[in-house]
Amino acid sequence: MADLTRAHIEAFLEMMSAERGAAGNTLVSYEHDLEDLFGFMAARRVQTIEASSSDLRAYLTGLGKSGFAPSSQARRLSAMRQFYKFLYAEGLRGDDPTAVLDSPAKGRTLPKIMSEEEVTRLLTLAAEEADDTSPGQFSRLRMLTLLELLYATGMRVSELVSLPARVLDQEGRFLIVKGKGNKERLVPLSRSAIETVRRYGEARRAEIPDADDNPWLFPSSGKEGYLPRQVFGRDLKALAARAGLKTSAISPHVMRHAFASHLLQNGADLRVVQELLGHSDISTTQIYTHVLEERLRQLVQTHHPLAKLAKNRE
């Protein structure tokens, strides 16, 4: 470096190491990011220690245009903020040019979901295996029941595996689920889920000694007394593999996402989905708005008069 920036960067790194105990990897990362900033400023014929807010904003904009993810841009901005705060504290600058810079907007990660066809394949195979009368049928029927309930209600896996046995006494079309904060919500059951639970209840009484005295719908010998969610997750991936599905993209949580997305795709209201999922805030449910946006786009293309007119002209 031709100016004093290099010396100031070294002094900054020494301070981060001696006074803040920054790890070696952190120091290497800071040095790399500040070197990159220096190269950008040198091309603009601006000394890095004298860079203005607009200079630094131009640097961040350039990162975005070069394909850097918002998270990577945010890391660069963090290094810049630490560096210019150091310069200000040392009296090497009279201001902090990063104070007015906004963090890059991070796009919200869309949830992984399964298609309706994939869910159908999974449930169909689970049903076929549950009908197999060879040894182990009860475990296969339990898996079918877990899947039917999960896809019918969108329950959290922790809510699902810890369902009380008293749900077997509920003959209605609704299930009471106790969620976070012990809040209860009412969720409807599909006809197939109702029939599968009834069938499982009969098999449970025949399979498990003193079943009527066990408080859990899916009892286990583990410390919690009910089926561990990790066991269900493992068995679900094994079933997915047998169904020819990509196991890395399937989990109980992904099926919860599928429940919500498929409801929206078929016309459900976002507020209703919020209630069924047990979300206390609608903003949490809004991760599914990409499904709504696609459905609305298709509705407009199909039903809007101008869209129909354009189609007739083709």
mmCIF file of all heavy atoms in Angstrom, residues 30-64:
data_model
loop_
_atom_site.group_PDB
_atom_site.id
_atom_site.type_symbol
_atom_site.label_atom_id
_atom_site.label_comp_id
_atom_site.label_asym_id
_atom_site.label_seq_id
_atom_site.Cartn_x
_atom_site.Cartn_y
_atom_site.Cartn_z
ATOM 1 N N TYR A 30 -10.843 -10.164 8.791
ATOM 2 C CA TYR A 30 -10.815 -8.703 8.809
ATOM 3 C C TYR A 30 -9.751 -8.172 7.851
ATOM 4 O O TYR A 30 -9.993 -7.233 7.081
ATOM 5 C CB TYR A 30 -10.525 -8.183 10.216
ATOM 6 C CG TYR A 30 -11.741 -8.089 11.113
ATOM 7 C CD1 TYR A 30 -11.670 -8.444 12.464
ATOM 8 C CD2 TYR A 30 -12.959 -7.626 10.631
ATOM 9 C CE1 TYR A 30 -12.776 -8.344 13.300
ATOM 10 C CE2 TYR A 30 -14.070 -7.527 11.451
ATOM 11 C CZ TYR A 30 -13.971 -7.890 12.784
ATOM 12 O OH TYR A 30 -15.068 -7.786 13.600
ATOM 13 N N GLU A 31 -8.593 -8.786 7.891
ATOM 14 C CA GLU A 31 -7.500 -8.311 7.037
ATOM 15 C C GLU A 31 -7.856 -8.477 5.566
ATOM 16 O O GLU A 31 -7.625 -7.573 4.748
ATOM 17 C CB GLU A 31 -6.216 -9.076 7.350
ATOM 18 C CG GLU A 31 -5.001 -8.588 6.552
ATOM 19 C CD GLU A 31 -3.710 -9.244 6.968
ATOM 20 O OE1 GLU A 31 -3.751 -10.285 7.663
ATOM 21 O OE2 GLU A 31 -2.634 -8.719 6.597
ATOM 22 N N HIS A 32 -8.431 -9.607 5.215
ATOM 23 C CA HIS A 32 -8.813 -9.858 3.825
ATOM 24 C C HIS A 32 -9.851 -8.838 3.360
ATOM 25 O O HIS A 32 -9.754 -8.273 2.265
ATOM 26 C CB HIS A 32 -9.377 -11.270 3.702
ATOM 27 C CG HIS A 32 -9.930 -11.584 2.336
ATOM 28 N ND1 HIS A 32 -11.253 -11.367 2.011
ATOM 29 C CD2 HIS A 32 -9.339 -12.069 1.213
ATOM 30 C CE1 HIS A 32 -11.458 -11.711 0.755
ATOM 31 N NE2 HIS A 32 -10.322 -12.147 0.245
ATOM 32 N N ASP A 33 -10.858 -8.596 4.201
ATOM 33 C CA ASP A 33 -11.928 -7.675 3.825
ATOM 34 C C ASP A 33 -11.420 -6.244 3.679
ATOM 35 O O ASP A 33 -11.816 -5.516 2.749
ATOM 36 C CB ASP A 33 -13.049 -7.723 4.867
ATOM 37 C CG ASP A 33 -13.781 -9.062 4.872
ATOM 38 O OD1 ASP A 33 -13.591 -9.845 3.921
ATOM 39 O OD2 ASP A 33 -14.542 -9.317 5.828
ATOM 40 N N LEU A 34 -10.537 -5.831 4.584
ATOM 41 C CA LEU A 34 -10.021 -4.460 4.527
ATOM 42 C C LEU A 34 -9.042 -4.285 3.362
ATOM 43 O O LEU A 34 -8.956 -3.207 2.772
ATOM 44 C CB LEU A 34 -9.357 -4.090 5.856
ATOM 45 C CG LEU A 34 -10.338 -3.994 7.040
ATOM 46 C CD1 LEU A 34 -9.592 -3.766 8.337
ATOM 47 C CD2 LEU A 34 -11.366 -2.883 6.803
ATOM 48 N N GLU A 35 -8.314 -5.345 3.026
ATOM 49 C CA GLU A 35 -7.427 -5.294 1.853
ATOM 50 C C GLU A 35 -8.255 -5.107 0.584
ATOM 51 O O GLU A 35 -7.884 -4.362 -0.324
ATOM 52 C CB GLU A 35 -6.609 -6.590 1.756
ATOM 53 C CG GLU A 35 -5.507 -6.730 2.785
ATOM 54 C CD GLU A 35 -4.234 -6.008 2.382
ATOM 55 O OE1 GLU A 35 -4.260 -5.323 1.334
ATOM 56 O OE2 GLU A 35 -3.235 -6.124 3.112
ATOM 57 N N ASP A 36 -9.391 -5.803 0.542
ATOM 58 C CA ASP A 36 -10.266 -5.680 -0.614
ATOM 59 C C ASP A 36 -10.837 -4.270 -0.718
ATOM 60 O O ASP A 36 -10.924 -3.694 -1.807
ATOM 61 C CB ASP A 36 -11.410 -6.701 -0.510
ATOM 62 C CG ASP A 36 -12.218 -6.795 -1.798
ATOM 63 O OD1 ASP A 36 -11.652 -7.192 -2.832
ATOM 64 O OD2 ASP A 36 -13.416 -6.454 -1.767
ATOM 65 N N LEU A 37 -11.203 -3.715 0.427
ATOM 66 C CA LEU A 37 -11.702 -2.342 0.461
ATOM 67 C C LEU A 37 -10.625 -1.369 -0.012
ATOM 68 O O LEU A 37 -10.911 -0.440 -0.780
ATOM 69 C CB LEU A 37 -12.136 -1.977 1.886
ATOM 70 C CG LEU A 37 -12.562 -0.533 2.117
ATOM 71 C CD1 LEU A 37 -13.810 -0.186 1.301
ATOM 72 C CD2 LEU A 37 -12.810 -0.279 3.600
ATOM 73 N N PHE A 38 -9.399 -1.609 0.426
ATOM 74 C CA PHE A 38 -8.301 -0.742 0.007
ATOM 75 C C PHE A 38 -8.118 -0.766 -1.505
ATOM 76 O O PHE A 38 -7.920 0.263 -2.147
ATOM 77 C CB PHE A 38 -6.988 -1.173 0.681
ATOM 78 C CG PHE A 38 -5.780 -0.483 0.121
ATOM 79 C CD1 PHE A 38 -5.447 0.804 0.521
ATOM 80 C CD2 PHE A 38 -4.967 -1.098 -0.830
ATOM 81 C CE1 PHE A 38 -4.341 1.454 -0.002
ATOM 82 C CE2 PHE A 38 -3.858 -0.459 -1.354
ATOM 83 C CZ PHE A 38 -3.541 0.823 -0.945
ATOM 84 N N GLY A 39 -8.192 -1.966 -2.093
ATOM 85 C CA GLY A 39 -8.032 -2.078 -3.540
ATOM 86 C C GLY A 39 -9.109 -1.313 -4.290
ATOM 87 O O GLY A 39 -8.837 -0.667 -5.308
ATOM 88 N N PHE A 40 -10.344 -1.372 -3.782
ATOM 89 C CA PHE A 40 -11.445 -0.646 -4.406
ATOM 90 C C PHE A 40 -11.201 0.853 -4.327
ATOM 91 O O PHE A 40 -11.374 1.586 -5.322
ATOM 92 C CB PHE A 40 -12.765 -1.013 -3.712
ATOM 93 C CG PHE A 40 -13.969 -0.289 -4.254
ATOM 94 C CD1 PHE A 40 -14.655 -0.785 -5.352
ATOM 95 C CD2 PHE A 40 -14.418 0.888 -3.670
ATOM 96 C CE1 PHE A 40 -15.769 -0.126 -5.858
ATOM 97 C CE2 PHE A 40 -15.527 1.564 -4.166
ATOM 98 C CZ PHE A 40 -16.205 1.053 -5.277
ATOM 99 N N MET A 41 -10.799 1.328 -3.147
ATOM 100 C CA MET A 41 -10.581 2.767 -2.965
ATOM 101 C C MET A 41 -9.383 3.253 -3.776
ATOM 102 O O MET A 41 -9.390 4.377 -4.316
ATOM 103 C CB MET A 41 -10.379 3.087 -1.477
ATOM 104 C CG MET A 41 -11.624 2.864 -0.643
ATOM 105 S SD MET A 41 -13.028 3.857 -1.244
ATOM 106 C CE MET A 41 -14.382 3.072 -0.365
ATOM 107 N N ALA A 42 -8.365 2.422 -3.888
ATOM 108 C CA ALA A 42 -7.193 2.800 -4.682
ATOM 109 C C ALA A 42 -7.586 3.017 -6.131
ATOM 110 O O ALA A 42 -7.075 3.940 -6.801
ATOM 111 C CB ALA A 42 -6.112 1.725 -4.562
ATOM 112 N N ALA A 43 -8.483 2.178 -6.642
ATOM 113 C CA ALA A 43 -8.946 2.326 -8.019
ATOM 114 C C ALA A 43 -9.724 3.626 -8.198
ATOM 115 O O ALA A 43 -9.749 4.193 -9.299
ATOM 116 C CB ALA A 43 -9.815 1.122 -8.406
ATOM 117 N N ARG A 44 -10.337 4.103 -7.137
ATOM 118 C CA ARG A 44 -11.064 5.384 -7.176
ATOM 119 C C ARG A 44 -10.170 6.563 -6.795
ATOM 120 O O ARG A 44 -10.642 7.707 -6.725
ATOM 121 C CB ARG A 44 -12.258 5.326 -6.193
ATOM 122 C CG ARG A 44 -13.350 4.375 -6.616
ATOM 123 C CD ARG A 44 -14.375 4.189 -5.483
ATOM 124 N NE ARG A 44 -15.158 5.381 -5.197
ATOM 125 C CZ ARG A 44 -16.353 5.654 -5.706
ATOM 126 N NH1 ARG A 44 -16.909 4.796 -6.556
ATOM 127 N NH2 ARG A 44 -17.006 6.751 -5.378
ATOM 128 N N ARG A 45 -8.891 6.249 -6.534
ATOM 129 C CA ARG A 45 -7.902 7.259 -6.114
ATOM 130 C C ARG A 45 -8.341 7.968 -4.832
ATOM 131 O O ARG A 45 -8.241 9.185 -4.686
ATOM 132 C CB ARG A 45 -7.671 8.283 -7.235
ATOM 133 C CG ARG A 45 -7.068 7.659 -8.486
ATOM 134 C CD ARG A 45 -6.748 8.699 -9.531
ATOM 135 N NE ARG A 45 -6.134 8.096 -10.721
ATOM 136 C CZ ARG A 45 -5.730 8.776 -11.790
ATOM 137 N NH1 ARG A 45 -5.903 10.090 -11.832
ATOM 138 N NH2 ARG A 45 -5.186 8.150 -12.814
ATOM 139 N N VAL A 46 -8.828 7.136 -3.904
ATOM 140 C CA VAL A 46 -9.247 7.625 -2.592
ATOM 141 C C VAL A 46 -8.474 6.847 -1.535
ATOM 142 O O VAL A 46 -8.384 5.621 -1.603
ATOM 143 C CB VAL A 46 -10.762 7.412 -2.370
ATOM 144 C CG1 VAL A 46 -11.160 7.793 -0.948
ATOM 145 C CG2 VAL A 46 -11.568 8.195 -3.382
ATOM 146 N N GLN A 47 -7.875 7.551 -0.577
ATOM 147 C CA GLN A 47 -7.208 6.867 0.515
ATOM 148 C C GLN A 47 -8.269 6.270 1.441
ATOM 149 O O GLN A 47 -9.212 6.950 1.832
ATOM 150 C CB GLN A 47 -6.314 7.833 1.302
ATOM 151 C CG GLN A 47 -5.080 8.287 0.522
ATOM 152 C CD GLN A 47 -4.051 8.940 1.421
ATOM 153 O OE1 GLN A 47 -3.995 8.669 2.616
ATOM 154 N NE2 GLN A 47 -3.223 9.794 0.836
ATOM 155 N N THR A 48 -8.091 5.034 1.784
ATOM 156 C CA THR A 48 -9.112 4.316 2.539
ATOM 157 C C THR A 48 -9.455 5.009 3.854
ATOM 158 O O THR A 48 -10.621 5.075 4.246
ATOM 159 C CB THR A 48 -8.658 2.869 2.824
ATOM 160 O OG1 THR A 48 -8.283 2.251 1.591
ATOM 161 C CG2 THR A 48 -9.770 2.054 3.462
ATOM 162 N N ILE A 49 -8.444 5.545 4.534
ATOM 163 C CA ILE A 49 -8.728 6.180 5.825
ATOM 164 C C ILE A 49 -9.478 7.501 5.651
ATOM 165 O O ILE A 49 -10.005 8.046 6.617
ATOM 166 C CB ILE A 49 -7.432 6.424 6.625
ATOM 167 C CG1 ILE A 49 -6.484 7.365 5.868
ATOM 168 C CG2 ILE A 49 -6.752 5.103 6.942
ATOM 169 C CD1 ILE A 49 -5.287 7.788 6.707
ATOM 170 N N GLU A 50 -9.550 7.994 4.417
ATOM 171 C CA GLU A 50 -10.273 9.242 4.156
ATOM 172 C C GLU A 50 -11.575 9.013 3.401
ATOM 173 O O GLU A 50 -12.236 9.960 2.985
ATOM 174 C CB GLU A 50 -9.380 10.200 3.346
ATOM 175 C CG GLU A 50 -8.099 10.599 4.079
ATOM 176 C CD GLU A 50 -7.190 11.472 3.227
ATOM 177 O OE1 GLU A 50 -7.530 11.668 2.032
ATOM 178 O OE2 GLU A 50 -6.162 11.927 3.733
ATOM 179 N N ALA A 51 -11.969 7.765 3.206
ATOM 180 C CA ALA A 51 -13.164 7.441 2.427
ATOM 181 C C ALA A 51 -14.414 8.037 3.063
ATOM 182 O O ALA A 51 -14.565 8.064 4.284
ATOM 183 C CB ALA A 51 -13.321 5.927 2.311
ATOM 184 N N SER A 52 -15.303 8.515 2.216
ATOM 185 C CA SER A 52 -16.573 9.083 2.686
ATOM 186 C C SER A 52 -17.639 7.988 2.729
ATOM 187 O O SER A 52 -17.433 6.869 2.238
ATOM 188 C CB SER A 52 -17.022 10.193 1.741
ATOM 189 O OG SER A 52 -17.338 9.648 0.456
ATOM 190 N N SER A 53 -18.783 8.341 3.286
ATOM 191 C CA SER A 53 -19.902 7.388 3.326
ATOM 192 C C SER A 53 -20.318 6.964 1.921
ATOM 193 O O SER A 53 -20.634 5.796 1.676
ATOM 194 C CB SER A 53 -21.095 8.006 4.059
ATOM 195 O OG SER A 53 -20.777 8.292 5.399
ATOM 196 N N SER A 54 -20.307 7.925 0.976
ATOM 197 C CA SER A 54 -20.695 7.592 -0.403
ATOM 198 C C SER A 54 -19.682 6.658 -1.044
ATOM 199 O O SER A 54 -20.055 5.779 -1.830
ATOM 200 C CB SER A 54 -20.849 8.870 -1.232
ATOM 201 O OG SER A 54 -19.641 9.596 -1.264
ATOM 202 N N ASP A 55 -18.394 6.817 -0.703
ATOM 203 C CA ASP A 55 -17.362 5.902 -1.218
ATOM 204 C C ASP A 55 -17.630 4.482 -0.720
ATOM 205 O O ASP A 55 -17.560 3.508 -1.491
ATOM 206 C CB ASP A 55 -15.971 6.343 -0.772
ATOM 207 C CG ASP A 55 -15.516 7.639 -1.439
ATOM 208 O OD1 ASP A 55 -15.852 7.843 -2.611
ATOM 209 O OD2 ASP A 55 -14.826 8.431 -0.758
ATOM 210 N N LEU A 56 -17.915 4.373 0.565
ATOM 211 C CA LEU A 56 -18.147 3.058 1.154
ATOM 212 C C LEU A 56 -19.444 2.446 0.638
ATOM 213 O O LEU A 56 -19.527 1.229 0.426
ATOM 214 C CB LEU A 56 -18.200 3.172 2.681
ATOM 215 C CG LEU A 56 -16.914 3.694 3.343
ATOM 216 C CD1 LEU A 56 -17.089 3.811 4.849
ATOM 217 C CD2 LEU A 56 -15.729 2.792 3.021
ATOM 218 N N ARG A 57 -20.446 3.289 0.411
ATOM 219 C CA ARG A 57 -21.711 2.786 -0.143
ATOM 220 C C ARG A 57 -21.489 2.261 -1.564
ATOM 221 O O ARG A 57 -22.076 1.237 -1.958
ATOM 222 C CB ARG A 57 -22.754 3.898 -0.133
ATOM 223 C CG ARG A 57 -24.167 3.405 -0.447
ATOM 224 C CD ARG A 57 -25.199 4.508 -0.292
ATOM 225 N NE ARG A 57 -25.431 4.869 1.113
ATOM 226 C CZ ARG A 57 -25.050 6.012 1.671
ATOM 227 N NH1 ARG A 57 -24.402 6.926 0.959
ATOM 228 N NH2 ARG A 57 -25.316 6.261 2.939
ATOM 229 N N ALA A 58 -20.645 2.952 -2.314
ATOM 230 C CA ALA A 58 -20.323 2.500 -3.671
ATOM 231 C C ALA A 58 -19.619 1.145 -3.631
ATOM 232 O O ALA A 58 -19.840 0.285 -4.495
ATOM 233 C CB ALA A 58 -19.445 3.536 -4.366
ATOM 234 N N TYR A 59 -18.790 0.951 -2.626
ATOM 235 C CA TYR A 59 -18.091 -0.327 -2.471
ATOM 236 C C TYR A 59 -19.095 -1.460 -2.221
ATOM 237 O O TYR A 59 -19.018 -2.517 -2.859
ATOM 238 C CB TYR A 59 -17.093 -0.235 -1.319
ATOM 239 C CG TYR A 59 -16.460 -1.546 -0.936
ATOM 240 C CD1 TYR A 59 -15.583 -2.194 -1.798
ATOM 241 C CD2 TYR A 59 -16.746 -2.147 0.289
ATOM 242 C CE1 TYR A 59 -15.001 -3.411 -1.449
ATOM 243 C CE2 TYR A 59 -16.175 -3.349 0.649
ATOM 244 C CZ TYR A 59 -15.299 -3.980 -0.224
ATOM 245 O OH TYR A 59 -14.725 -5.184 0.125
ATOM 246 N N LEU A 60 -20.026 -1.223 -1.311
ATOM 247 C CA LEU A 60 -21.028 -2.241 -1.006
ATOM 248 C C LEU A 60 -21.917 -2.524 -2.212
ATOM 249 O O LEU A 60 -22.273 -3.681 -2.486
ATOM 250 C CB LEU A 60 -21.890 -1.792 0.177
ATOM 251 C CG LEU A 60 -21.181 -1.718 1.531
ATOM 252 C CD1 LEU A 60 -22.100 -1.089 2.580
ATOM 253 C CD2 LEU A 60 -20.736 -3.100 1.987
ATOM 254 N N THR A 61 -22.271 -1.474 -2.953
ATOM 255 C CA THR A 61 -23.071 -1.651 -4.167
ATOM 256 C C THR A 61 -22.327 -2.513 -5.173
ATOM 257 O O THR A 61 -22.909 -3.385 -5.833
ATOM 258 C CB THR A 61 -23.413 -0.291 -4.789
ATOM 259 O OG1 THR A 61 -24.157 0.491 -3.850
ATOM 260 C CG2 THR A 61 -24.230 -0.460 -6.069
ATOM 261 N N GLY A 62 -21.012 -2.266 -5.282
ATOM 262 C CA GLY A 62 -20.189 -3.059 -6.191
ATOM 263 C C GLY A 62 -20.163 -4.525 -5.799
ATOM 264 O O GLY A 62 -20.169 -5.408 -6.673
ATOM 265 N N LEU A 63 -20.154 -4.793 -4.502
ATOM 266 C CA LEU A 63 -20.185 -6.185 -4.044
ATOM 267 C C LEU A 63 -21.474 -6.864 -4.494
ATOM 268 O O LEU A 63 -21.460 -8.006 -4.945
ATOM 269 C CB LEU A 63 -20.069 -6.245 -2.519
ATOM 270 C CG LEU A 63 -18.737 -5.824 -1.897
ATOM 271 C CD1 LEU A 63 -18.833 -5.878 -0.369
ATOM 272 C CD2 LEU A 63 -17.589 -6.708 -2.373
ATOM 273 N N GLY A 64 -22.586 -6.128 -4.348
ATOM 274 C CA GLY A 64 -23.868 -6.688 -4.757
ATOM 275 C C GLY A 64 -23.909 -6.984 -6.240
ATOM 276 O O GLY A 64 -24.394 -8.033 -6.664
#
